[in-house]
Amino acid sequence: KRLKIMEEKVFHQRFVAKKLLKTADDYFQWLGEDMQTHKMVVIKEFNRQTPNQMAAKEFARECQLIHKISQIVNPNIARIYVIDLKIGYYVMEYVPGQNIHDYLVGNTIPEDLALRIIIKIANALHILYSKFQILHRDIQPCNIQLESGTLEPKIVDLGIVKSLNSAQLTMMNQVKGTFFYLAPELIYQDADYSIQSDMYGLGLTLFYLLQRTDLFEEPEHVLHFVQTGNVPDKFKQIQNRNLAKVLFKMIDRDPKKRFQSYPELLQALTALEASIRSTSPAVAPQQAQQAQQAQQAQQAQQAQARLQQARQQQAQAQQAQQARVQQAQMQQTGFPRDQEFLQKNQQEVGKL
């Protein structure tokens, strides 16, 4: 126990690293605990043993941008608590729940809720860009966390963000982001990141929310889209044509044909979400109530099953205890001291 305490890493004399979540050549990511509030946090620590000579400059740039983000209080951006550039770490909010990709493995999300999620993330991206000209560069389902219970979306992977005005520290032609969510101009053209490239990833994330699958699953699909402008046939599965129209404008292969500002995008998404809700005003609450009732019934069944299991375990424990008592009595007297047996056989007992 003493050795375990000595090995625990403490940051800022307050945050204790509990579990290593992720490791890379240039950093460690820990699940930690705030010793003052006893809430869980995420700690990103620079790996000083990295052989990457540019890593220190990259992490310093990252911390500088994280410091700017820490000034923003937004329910859809993970909060930043502490930044230590000298030692090389920062501490941010831990969001319990699942990212969009993992959540949709066993769940579905209706169109209006999917749009509300994208609207909130688009608004958060708009705040990042309007205040500090910060671009995310890797918007995709795995980097948006859905909070347990509320499904409130939060941008959690902030380590890849980049200021539009900052110097480019990455190697030439090295592109940040996930390939199938990278805008075409970043892959096949000598173009820099823009709000349109973030919108592209956001559009593909909206498609994933609606269809529970990636629009592009093979590199050839991306190449075909860039060359022809034609999306895969699965795009036709979106039956709401107004929704499909907005979505296609978000992912147009030509960045000049996408929405040119976040306010323009937000206006289109908000109007679309309102129209979907207005066409079925009573359906959504009814579906929500049915889902809640189904969840409560499932929880009641699980509770009943746990109670029954506990009773069975208790009965088995009592039986085992009785067996042990009888065995001990037989070892002492040679026969069991069963009270009912003694009462029914008083004469025999007297003879004994």
Side-chain angles (χ1 to χ4, degrees), residues 8 28 41 45 79 89 95 97-98 104 127 135 148 152 164 174 203 244 259 266 287 308 328 342 349-350 352:
E8 280 187 338
F28 304 105
V41 297
E45 177 192 15
R79 293 192 62 185
Y89 70 87
V95 183
Q98 294 176 293
L104 289 178
I127 292 173
L135 303 169
S148 297
E152 186 72 15
L164 188 64
Q174 181 181 356
F259 293 96
L266 287 166
Q287 289 178 343
Q308 185 175 359
L342 293 175
V349 171
L352 292 175

Side-chain angles (χ1 to χ4, degrees), residues 1-67:
K1 183 176 181 181
R2 182 176 300 173
L3 180 61
K4 182 178 180 182
I5 294 176
M6 290 176 61
E7 291 178 347
E8 280 187 338
K9 303 190 70 169
V10 181
F11 299 84
H12 202 64
Q13 298 180 344
R14 174 176 174 178
F15 305 99
V16 182
K18 294 292 186 179
K19 180 182 179 182
L20 184 62
L21 296 177
K22 185 178 180 181
T23 181
D25 289 339
D26 55 348
Y27 72 88
F28 304 105
Q29 192 172 75
W30 304 89
L31 177 65
E33 181 183 359
D34 184 341
M35 292 187 292
Q36 292 184 9
T37 65
H38 300 292
K39 291 183 178 181
M40 305 306 293
V41 297
V42 174
I43 306 165
K44 188 168 184 179
E45 177 192 15
F46 177 63
N47 179 11
R48 296 187 177 277
Q49 304 301 320
T50 177
N52 186 352
Q53 297 180 355
M54 295 294 294
K57 293 183 178 180
E58 284 278 8
F59 197 83
R61 174 201 63 83
E62 179 179 328
C63 286
Q64 290 171 357
L65 292 179
I66 292 297
H67 176 69

Side-chain angles (χ1 to χ4, degrees), residues 53-236:
Q53 297 180 355
M54 295 294 294
K57 293 183 178 180
E58 284 278 8
F59 197 83
R61 174 201 63 83
E62 179 179 328
C63 286
Q64 290 171 357
L65 292 179
I66 292 297
H67 176 69
K68 292 182 178 180
I69 295 173
S70 68
Q71 302 173 42
I72 299 174
V73 179
N74 183 276
N76 305 117
I77 302 175
R79 293 192 62 185
I80 308 298
Y81 298 130
V82 173
I83 305 168
D84 192 320
L85 185 57
K86 183 178 180 180
I87 298 178
Y89 70 87
Y90 59 86
V91 183
M92 62 188 295
E93 174 187 8
Y94 169 72
V95 183
Q98 294 176 293
N99 62 50
I100 290 176
H101 178 274
D102 292 343
Y103 178 80
L104 289 178
V105 171
N107 301 278
T108 59
I109 292 180
E111 284 185 355
D112 57 340
L113 179 55
L115 282 168
R116 284 199 295 275
I117 290 173
I118 295 300
I119 287 170
K120 290 178 178 181
I121 296 300
N123 184 63
L125 293 173
H126 174 49
I127 292 173
L128 287 173
Y129 186 77
S130 62
K131 284 185 175 293
F132 302 112
Q133 289 191 299
I134 288 177
L135 303 169
H136 188 277
R137 302 194 296 169
D138 194 20
I139 293 296
Q140 51 131 328
C142 289
N143 288 340
I144 299 174
Q145 190 84 344
L146 299 178
E147 193 169 5
S148 297
T150 64
L151 296 186
E152 186 72 15
K154 284 183 183 284
I155 301 174
V156 291
D157 189 357
L158 298 172
I160 200 168
V161 297
K162 174 181 179 291
S163 173
L164 188 64
N165 296 327
S166 65
Q168 181 64 39
L169 295 175
T170 52
M171 296 173 59
M172 187 176 296
N173 296 328
Q174 181 181 356
V175 179
K176 295 282 188 178
T178 305
F179 179 76
F180 293 115
Y181 285 80
L182 281 176
E185 65 270 17
L186 300 177
I187 302 175
Y188 300 103
Q189 299 177 18
D190 187 16
D192 202 357
Y193 293 91
S194 65
I195 60 173
Q196 282 71 37
S197 58
D198 275 354
M199 285 182 188
Y200 179 87
L202 190 62
L204 291 181
T205 301
L206 174 57
F207 182 87
Y208 196 94
L209 279 165
L210 297 170
Q211 299 298 321
R212 300 170 64 191
T213 184
D214 292 323
L215 180 59
F216 304 111
E217 297 182 278
E218 300 292 339
E220 293 78 11
H221 298 165
V222 178
L223 179 60
H224 178 74
F225 172 63
V226 172
Q227 292 175 339
T228 66
N230 297 326
V231 293
D233 290 340
K234 64 172 69 175
F235 191 87
K236 299 177 182 178

Side-chain angles (χ1 to χ4, degrees), residues 225-265:
F225 172 63
V226 172
Q227 292 175 339
T228 66
N230 297 326
V231 293
D233 290 340
K234 64 172 69 175
F235 191 87
K236 299 177 182 178
Q237 296 174 1
I238 300 178
Q239 298 179 356
N240 186 322
R241 302 320 301 165
N242 291 329
L243 174 55
K245 183 179 178 180
V246 171
L247 177 53
F248 187 82
K249 189 172 182 178
M250 294 176 70
I251 65 170
D252 196 293
R253 64 171 176 171
D254 184 354
K256 295 180 180 179
K257 293 182 179 180
R258 296 175 205 150
F259 293 96
Q260 293 304 296
S261 69
Y262 280 114
E264 182 187 3
L265 171 63

